[in-house]
Amino acid sequence: MKVPFSWLKEYVKISVTAQELEEKLFSCGFEVEELTYLGKDVENVVVGRIVQCEKHPDADRLTVCQVDCGERGTKQIVTAATNVFEGATVPVALDGATVRHEGGTQKIKTGKLRGVTSEGMFCSGEELGITDDFYEGAEVNGILILDMGTPLGVDIRPVVGIDDYIFDIAVTANRPDCQSIYGMAREVAAVLGEPLRPLDEGEPHRASTDVKFSVEVKEPKLCPLYVGTYVKDVKIAPSPRWMRRRLALMGLRSVNNVVDITNYVLLEVGQPMHAFDRKYLRGDKIVVRCAGEGEKITTLDEKEFALRRDNLLICDGERPVALAGIMGGLNSEIKEDTREVFLEAAVFARDSVRRTSRTLGQRSDSSARFEKGVYEIFPWMGMKHALNLFEQLGCGTPTQCTAVGSSSGASEGEIEHRTIKTTYQKLDALLGIHVPKEEVNGILQRLGFGVMGEGEELSVQVPLWRGDIDGYPDLAEEVIRMYGYDHLVPTFLENATVTHGGLTPAQKEELRFKETLAEEGFFEACGYSFYSPKDFDLLRLPQDAGERRAITVMNPLGEDLSVMRTILAPTMIVNVVRNVRRGNDEGRLFELANVYLSDMVPPESLPTEKKHLSLALWGEGDFFDLKGAVEGIGEAFGVKLDYVRGEKSFLHPGATATVRLGEKEVGWIGELHPLIAEELALEKKVFLAELDYTALSRKFRKGVAYRPVPKFPDVTRDLAVVVEEKVTCAELESCILRACKAAKKAELFDVYRDALRLGKDKKSMAFRITFSPDPNADKGLSPETVDGFFNKIVANLKHNLSAELR
C-alpha cells in the first residue's frame, strides 16, 4: 500500500519526520518496505524569471537568457528551447544541480555553448520527473512554464509537488481497513497520540428527481450489500490539480473528474466504486447475478471474456455492464458527453472476486481490494464521500434516488456493532505482563473502539471497520502493538521445561531413513500437499476407488491445486515427466510426505494423516532394481517384507507387486502402465513404488542389538525346482525359509524355461540356500545334518507349491 506523507498530514497532525514515522509504524505492526523521497533526483533547482532574451551571436537555434533567481542572483542561461520568453517563470538548474535524465540522473555544470557562458539549464517536466498531473504544462515539448507570482529563488520541489515522501507499507491480509489513506491515518493518529480529523463526507444536497432505479441481488451470499445513487447534471471536465497530483502520487493517471472521483474514493477510503453512464443502462434497473455459461462481456480495457457460471456480473435490465468487483463494461463507460451517472458502491465476496479474477486473468485495483475484504460500512462511507466530491468539484448534482440491495439491512444505521466482554486480568494473562487499565482504555479508544470498564470487567464495542476483531486475544494484540513489544518479559509457559533441543527420536529415525535412500542413489523431491482431481483420471482409478475420497480445498489457488493428496504417485509422475523434458534421461527420486485420507465424501471430520514414501526410477535399471532398493530399506531397519503379484490401474499388469508386512498390505511396486507412459510422451520405462511409512516405522528395529560372531562357518547348498509359471520367487523363498530355521537366506540365481523338457507353463528356479549353525552349538553343521534340512525343504516345497526337484 503506497501512502504519501503529505496526504496523511491531511488527517493527522504529524510532528515527526518521515523516517521517525517509519520506525513507529514498524513498532505497531506495519512494515514499511520502502520509504522514497520523490525529489531525491532533483537538487539545486530553483525558480527563476527570464528578464531578457537575446539570440545567440553564433547559433540561430540558441537563445541567451538573463534569469533573476532571487537570492541566488542573476544567472545567464543559454537554451535551445523554443518556448522561452521575457517574463516567463521557469525552473533553473544551477551549477552543481542534479536532474533526471534517461532513467538516471545528470549533473549540471557551468560551461560554454558556442562560446557563450551558460551558468545552468532550464528544466522541462521530464527532467523534474513530473507529468501534467503534478503540474500543468509538464508534458509540453519545451521547458516548464510556472505560474506567475511563484516566489523567485525557492526550491522547485515543493512548487511542483515532489517535496514529498511515499511510504510503501506491507499491509497484512487481516487488515483490509488499512488498504486506504484514511485507514492508515487512523493508525498513525493512534501511534502518535494525535486526534484523527474526520473524513469530509458531508451531507450533500440531494435534488429531487423522477428517475427511479431498483436493485435486485440474486446472489446475496456473493453480494451482501449493493448501494447505488443517481447523479444528474454531470459536467465532464479535468479534475483539479490537487486531486490529479494525489492520484499521480499513487501511480494513477487522471482520466476526467467523474472517473477520478471513483479512483480517489478507492484510495482515500478503501471502497472500490464504479460510475455507469445512465444513458446506456437499460430499464433503470441493476441486477446482480451469476453469468450464464458462455455469456460474454467486453471490459473497459477492450478485452472480451467468455464467462462461466460462477462469474458474478452487474447487469442492467437486459445485459451485463460490469464484472462484479473487477472492472466495468465498455458498453456503459463514462464519455465526454455523459450527463447522467449511476454511482455504485458494493460489497462482494472475496473468494468470488478472486476466483473470477484468476480464471479470467483480469486484475484491477478494485479486485485487489475486494480480494482482501471490504466491510459493509465502507460502501456507505465511500458513497457519502463521492457525492460530497461531486458537489465540491461542481461536476454533478446528487439526487434522492438511492437504490439498495442488502441481505443484512437497508441503511448504514442498521449495521450492528459487535461487543466483546472480557476482563483486564485476561488481557494481562495472555500478554504475560501487567498493562495499566488507563493505558488499555486509552489505546483502544485511540484505535476507535468504544470502551466501558467497571472494576475488572471490560466491555469493548468493535468499530464497524474492524471485522478482524473476534475476541479478547485480538484486543490483547491491539493493546500490545501500541503499548510496545519491548514491554514484554520472556517467561516460560505454565508447564514448560528446559530442554537441550535437537531432533526428536522420530525425526532422527526419519533422517536415517532418508540417508539410507540416498545411499541407494535416490535424490529427495518435495511436492505440494495438493493436486488436481484430474490426476485421479490420469491414474485411471475407478470412480469408487478409495484414493478418490480426497479432501477438497475450500479456497484453492486453482483447479490444479484443489484437493489434498491421498496418494503420492501423481506428484512423482509429474516430477519424472519434468525431468525427462529437461534432458534428465535417467534418475532416481524419493519423496517422504503426508497423505490425507478420509472415509467419507465429503469428509465430516478431520482427515487421517499418514506419512507415505514414494519412489521413482527411470532410464536405468528395472523393476528388480527398484525392488532391491525397497529390500535394502527393509534390511537396514529390520523389517521383513513380502512381495506378491498385484494389480494397479496405473501399473503394468505383468510387472506389479504388492508389498506386505506380515498379513498387512503396506505398499506396491511396479512399472508405469504403457498407455499412461505413451500419453505422457515418456519413451523410457518408469518404475514406481509407494509404501506406508507410518506402518513400516512401527516395526522398525529399535536400537542396535549385539550378536556374537558364529563359531562355525555357514554352509550353502543349491536347489533347483520345477514349478508352475504362476508361482512367484517370493512364494518359493518364503516357503524355503519357513521349512527350516537353520535356513537364513535363499537367493534366486537362475530361471530356466523349456516347454519340451519341463512341460508347458512350467519353469525351473534355482536358489542358493545359506544354512547357519545354532550360535550356542558346540560343533558345526555336518553333511548329514544339511542333507536332512535340504530334504525337509524339498518336501515342504512339494507339499505347498507342487514343486518337483529338477
Side-chain angles (χ1 to χ4, degrees):
M1 174 70 191
K2 294 188 182 298
V3 180
F5 196 31
S6 59
W7 206 341
L8 284 176
K9 291 179 179 179
E10 182 82 12
Y11 295 107
V12 185
K13 181 182 178 182
I14 301 177
S15 55
V16 298
T17 65
Q19 291 75 15
E20 290 172 326
L21 181 60
E22 177 185 10
E23 294 180 5
K24 290 181 179 295
L25 286 172
F26 183 81
S27 69
C28 69
F30 291 94
E31 179 185 358
V32 179
E33 295 184 336
E34 186 178 13
L35 178 62
T36 305
Y37 180 59
L38 286 180
K40 63 184 177 65
D41 294 334
V42 179
E43 295 182 3
N44 201 26
V45 181
V46 300
V47 177
R49 179 181 298 117
I50 301 175
V51 295
Q52 183 180 346
C53 290
E54 295 179 350
K55 285 187 177 182
H56 192 288
D58 296 321
D60 293 338
R61 296 185 179 182
L62 297 179
T63 304
V64 181
C65 301
Q66 304 300 319
V67 186
D68 181 4
C69 296
E71 295 180 356
R72 303 295 187 97
T74 301
K75 306 294 181 180
Q76 179 172 280
I77 306 293
V78 180
T79 180
T82 58
N83 63 333
V84 295
F85 57 92
E86 291 185 3
T89 305
V90 295
V92 184
L94 302 178
D95 182 51
T98 302
V99 296
R100 291 193 178 187
H101 180 69
E102 295 181 354
T105 59
Q106 179 183 6
K107 199 82 169 179
I108 305 301
K109 295 182 179 180
T110 297
K112 290 187 177 182
L113 292 178
R114 303 292 293 272
V116 177
T117 300
S118 180
E119 300 177 274
M121 182 184 78
F122 295 141
C123 296
S124 65
E126 182 180 0
E127 286 150 344
L128 299 176
I130 61 174
T131 64
D132 281 350
D133 290 336
F134 279 86
Y135 203 97
E136 195 68 42
E139 297 180 43
V140 301
N141 184 21
I143 65 171
L144 173 62
I145 305 299
L146 302 174
D147 294 339
M148 294 293 294
T150 305
L152 303 182
V154 300
D155 191 336
I156 193 62
R157 290 176 290 195
V159 174
V160 297
I162 57 173
D163 185 27
D164 204 349
Y165 286 90
I166 302 294
F167 295 83
D168 191 352
I169 302 174
V171 179
T172 54
N174 66 319
R175 294 300 305 273
D177 59 298
C178 291
Q179 290 285 326
S180 65
I181 301 299
Y182 197 68
M184 285 308 308
R186 289 194 199 100
E187 297 295 320
V188 172
V191 75
L192 295 180
E194 296 286 349
L196 176 69
R197 299 187 185 107
L199 193 66
D200 188 12
E201 295 176 345
E203 285 295 335
H205 170 70
R206 298 292 190 96
S208 61
T209 179
D210 295 332
V211 175
K212 293 184 179 180
F213 269 90
S214 63
V215 172
E216 180 184 1
V217 179
K218 293 187 176 181
E219 299 289 342
K221 289 185 178 180
L222 303 184
C223 178
L225 176 64
Y226 188 99
V227 181
T229 297
Y230 167 60
V231 180
K232 65 178 184 178
D233 302 331
V234 172
K235 302 177 184 66
I236 302 297
S239 298
R241 182 185 294 178
W242 62 266
M243 178 177 282
R244 285 186 286 139
R245 176 183 176 273
R246 287 184 175 178
L247 293 176
L249 289 174
M250 302 291 280
L252 296 181
R253 288 299 300 257
S254 173
V255 180
N256 57 54
N257 47 10
V258 172
V259 175
D260 288 354
I261 285 174
T262 62
N263 288 332
Y264 190 84
V265 171
L266 167 68
L267 298 173
E268 189 163 51
V269 181
Q271 172 60 48
M273 300 190 71
H274 186 66
F276 299 97
D277 190 329
R278 186 244 174 170
K279 176 172 56 178
Y280 300 107
L281 295 181
R282 301 171 182 174
D284 286 347
K285 182 179 183 180
I286 293 293
V287 180
V288 184
R289 62 170 175 82
C290 285
E293 193 66 39
E295 192 171 7
K296 294 183 178 181
I297 187 174
T298 301
T299 50
L300 288 170
D301 55 1
E302 300 183 2
K303 294 180 182 178
E304 184 179 72
F305 297 98
L307 307 173
R308 304 190 319 186
R309 295 187 184 278
D310 59 350
N311 299 143
L312 191 66
L313 293 174
I314 308 300
C315 306
D316 59 14
E318 300 178 10
R319 59 189 178 156
V321 291
L323 273 174
I326 300 175
M327 190 174 291
L330 189 63
N331 54 9
S332 58
E333 70 171 327
I334 302 300
K335 299 180 180 179
E336 292 295 327
D337 61 348
T338 298
R339 294 295 174 264
E340 299 171 294
V341 163
F342 184 75
L343 206 58
E344 165 197 281
V347 175
F348 300 113
R350 64 183 72 181
D351 57 335
S352 172
V353 175
R354 184 183 298 112
R355 184 165 50 249
T356 298
S357 176
R358 288 182 177 173
T359 55
L360 298 181
Q362 184 77 333
R363 290 186 60 80
S364 65
D365 289 336
S366 294
S367 67
R369 293 305 196 284
F370 280 118
E371 287 178 19
K372 291 180 175 65
V374 170
Y375 301 131
E376 291 191 356
I377 187 62
F378 290 169
W380 298 107
M381 293 172 59
M383 185 61 74
K384 285 183 180 179
H385 196 41
L387 296 179
N388 187 55
L389 287 171
F390 266 96
E391 281 205 335
Q392 281 187 24
L393 271 57
C395 59
T397 303
T399 71
Q400 296 175 358
C401 174
T402 296
V404 180
S406 172
S407 58
S408 58
S411 69
E412 178 183 357
E414 295 179 8
I415 305 175
E416 294 185 2
H417 285 268
R418 290 175 295 116
T419 300
I420 297 174
K421 294 185 177 180
T422 184
T423 63
Y424 293 101
Q425 290 96 329
K426 278 188 175 182
L427 299 181
D428 288 348
L430 189 61
L431 297 174
I433 60 172
H434 172 67
V435 183
K437 296 179 183 178
E438 298 77 13
E439 194 71 38
V440 172
N441 295 345
I443 288 172
L444 293 176
Q445 286 170 352
R446 292 202 306 272
L447 288 170
F449 293 83
V451 180
M452 293 183 62
E454 184 175 342
E456 289 300 322
E457 301 295 323
L458 181 64
S459 179
V460 180
Q461 187 181 72
V462 181
L464 296 176
W465 59 82
R466 291 302 302 272
D468 60 305
I469 303 297
D470 194 41
Y472 82 90
D474 295 321
L475 295 179
E477 182 182 358
E478 295 299 299
V479 170
I480 194 59
R481 73 185 182 88
M482 289 293 174
Y483 188 55
Y485 292 106
D486 55 331
H487 287 90
L488 292 177
V489 179
T491 58
F492 281 115
L493 295 174
E494 185 176 349
N495 298 319
T497 57
V498 178
T499 67
H500 294 293
L503 300 177
T504 65
Q507 289 171 329
K508 290 178 180 178
E509 195 169 64
E510 186 176 313
L511 182 59
R512 189 163 67 91
F513 188 85
K514 291 181 178 181
E515 289 172 347
T516 302
L517 286 166
E519 291 170 1
E520 295 279 354
F522 287 84
F523 291 87
E524 185 174 8
C526 295
Y528 290 118
S529 296
F530 22 74
Y531 44 44
S532 170
K534 294 179 181 178
D535 288 333
F536 299 133
D537 299 329
L538 173 68
L539 298 186
R540 290 164 167 73
L541 292 172
Q543 291 301 318
D544 59 349
E547 292 88 346
R548 286 187 179 270
R549 291 196 290 269
I551 309 299
T552 302
V553 180
M554 293 181 63
N555 191 20
L557 295 173
E559 185 183 11
D560 290 345
L561 300 170
S562 61
V563 296
M564 304 298 290
R565 294 195 291 187
T566 59
I567 180 175
L568 301 183
T571 306
M572 188 57 74
I573 292 172
V574 169
N575 288 336
V576 173
V577 172
R578 184 181 293 114
N579 273 275
V580 171
R581 290 178 180 172
R582 293 182 180 179
N584 298 323
D585 294 331
E586 60 182 42
R588 298 184 177 203
L589 293 176
F590 80 89
E591 181 178 8
L592 188 61
N594 283 346
V595 294
Y596 305 85
L597 309 174
S598 176
D599 294 331
M600 301 180 181
V601 178
E604 297 181 3
S605 60
L606 291 175
T608 301
E609 294 187 34
K610 283 188 175 182
K611 191 155 285 188
H612 274 204
L613 169 69
S614 177
L615 299 171
L617 180 153
W618 73 96
E620 48 88 18
D622 55 17
F623 175 91
F624 295 103
D625 288 296
L626 190 59
K627 178 173 177 285
V630 175
E631 290 174 338
I633 293 170
E635 291 179 4
F637 290 87
V639 179
K640 180 65 177 77
L641 299 173
D642 297 316
Y643 307 88
V644 299
R645 191 182 300 276
E647 184 178 342
K648 291 287 181 182
S649 61
F650 51 91
L651 297 179
H652 193 299
T656 302
T658 298
V659 183
R660 291 183 176 275
L661 180 61
E663 297 299 319
K664 182 179 180 182
E665 182 179 327
V666 292
W668 46 263
I669 307 174
E671 178 188 338
L672 183 64
H673 199 291
L675 294 179
I676 298 179
E678 182 181 354
E679 182 179 335
L680 297 173
L682 292 170
E683 297 180 357
K684 296 188 178 182
K685 292 183 178 181
V686 177
F687 300 93
L688 303 168
E690 186 158 332
L691 302 175
D692 185 344
Y693 175 84
T694 302
L696 291 178
S697 62
R698 297 193 188 104
K699 299 295 183 179
F700 282 174
R701 181 174 52 229
K702 305 302 180 184
V704 178
Y706 170 73
R707 186 175 66 184
V709 177
K711 298 177 183 178
F712 305 100
D714 294 339
V715 177
T716 61
R717 184 72 63 85
D718 291 347
L719 168 67
V721 293
V722 178
V723 294
E724 296 287 339
E725 185 68 47
K726 65 181 180 181
V727 177
T728 66
C729 173
E731 290 173 330
L732 283 167
E733 181 183 342
S734 177
C735 191
I736 291 170
L737 298 179
R738 285 200 309 268
C740 178
K741 290 185 178 180
K744 301 302 182 182
K745 189 185 297 184
E747 296 176 291
L748 178 72
F749 67 85
D750 183 59
V751 178
Y752 173 70
R753 293 177 176 86
D754 190 325
L756 293 177
R757 295 186 180 183
L758 302 180
K760 186 180 180 181
D761 295 329
K762 296 279 188 177
K763 63 182 176 181
S764 169
M765 302 185 75
F767 290 84
R768 177 158 293 151
I769 306 172
T770 301
F771 298 97
S772 298
D774 189 332
N776 299 317
D778 295 330
K779 59 181 180 179
L781 296 173
S782 66
E784 293 78 12
T785 303
V786 174
D787 287 342
F789 294 156
F790 187 82
N791 293 333
K792 185 178 180 181
I793 290 172
V794 172
N796 197 54
L797 289 171
K798 184 172 183 178
H799 176 73
N800 290 293
L801 300 174
S802 301
E804 297 290 340
L805 187 64
R806 183 180 170 195

